Amino acid sequence: MKTFAFAIAIIVAAFAGPALSSGTHAGGHEAKMAVGEPGDKAKVTQTIRVTMKETDDGKMLFQPAVIKARKGQTIRIALKNAGQSDHEFVLDQEDKILEHKAVMAKFPEMEHADANSMRLAPGASGEILWKFTSDGEFKFACLIPGHYEAGMHGDVSVSAN
């Protein structure tokens, strides 16, 4: 009987893991991404300050809405939520941003917990250290439902040199 109970406990644990982890989107981007990889604080060559907020006319935005970097450069993205609601910053390829946006529409309480993203409460600050390993055009966005549509997205241009 103890063996049977132990086997049932193992089966329940195996299936409970994915269900319990559905509240966040953690670990999916620690591997190599087209937009780059987590940066080393000692190699930061530039700090870009990004403010997230809402406007009186209902828009939500990032200031600045454009980030420029060079391939191989490590930057510190210093984030400040100056708004009245939670906001997040997710850095990725445009198609990946749109995929995540669709998932967030189905699971609005999901929070990103990857090196390329951060969710901040009103008044909170944080930073992302990022090394751009590829040149090209990328995006950043807030994927909380409705925020992208209200204008909360921007462009990242990474030059080859």
Side-chain angles (χ1 to χ4, degrees):
M1 185 67 171
K2 286 184 181 177
T3 305
F4 179 74
F6 181 73
I8 294 297
I10 296 291
I11 291 169
V12 169
F15 287 104
L20 293 174
S21 67
S22 65
T24 65
H25 180 69
H29 296 292
E30 298 306 320
K32 182 80 169 163
M33 298 174 63
V35 69
E37 61 193 32
D40 179 349
K41 193 173 195 171
K43 296 182 179 177
V44 169
T45 60
Q46 180 181 6
T47 296
I48 298 172
R49 299 186 188 292
V50 177
T51 302
M52 304 180 279
K53 66 179 187 174
E54 311 89 40
T55 62
D56 291 338
D57 62 356
K59 292 181 182 168
M60 296 184 178
L61 50 90
F62 291 101
Q63 288 181 320
V66 176
I67 293 175
K68 294 185 180 195
R70 294 178 316 281
K71 181 179 175 181
Q73 182 179 22
T74 299
I75 66 170
R76 172 184 290 110
I77 303 169
L79 300 166
K80 171 73 175 167
N81 183 349
Q84 301 300 312
S85 63
D86 283 7
H87 291 296
E88 64 182 17
F89 180 97
V90 180
L91 172 67
D92 212 333
Q93 294 171 265
E94 185 171 19
D95 61 333
K96 301 294 183 192
I97 292 280
L98 295 176
E99 284 175 23
H100 282 132
K101 181 178 165 296
V103 172
M104 289 287 291
K106 294 178 184 175
F107 304 102
E109 297 305 314
M110 181 188 300
E111 293 185 24
H112 296 87
D114 298 306
N116 67 315
S117 63
M118 180 171 287
R119 187 174 186 143
L120 295 172
S125 296
E127 66 179 26
I128 293 175
L129 303 175
W130 199 256
K131 179 179 181 183
F132 291 97
T133 57
S134 301
D135 59 294
E137 301 300 317
F138 304 101
K139 296 289 275 184
F140 58 93
C142 180
L143 302 180
I144 296 171
H147 292 210
Y148 187 97
E149 293 79 6
M152 206 158 194
H153 51 89
D155 298 313
V156 180
S157 181
V158 182
S159 63
N161 51 15

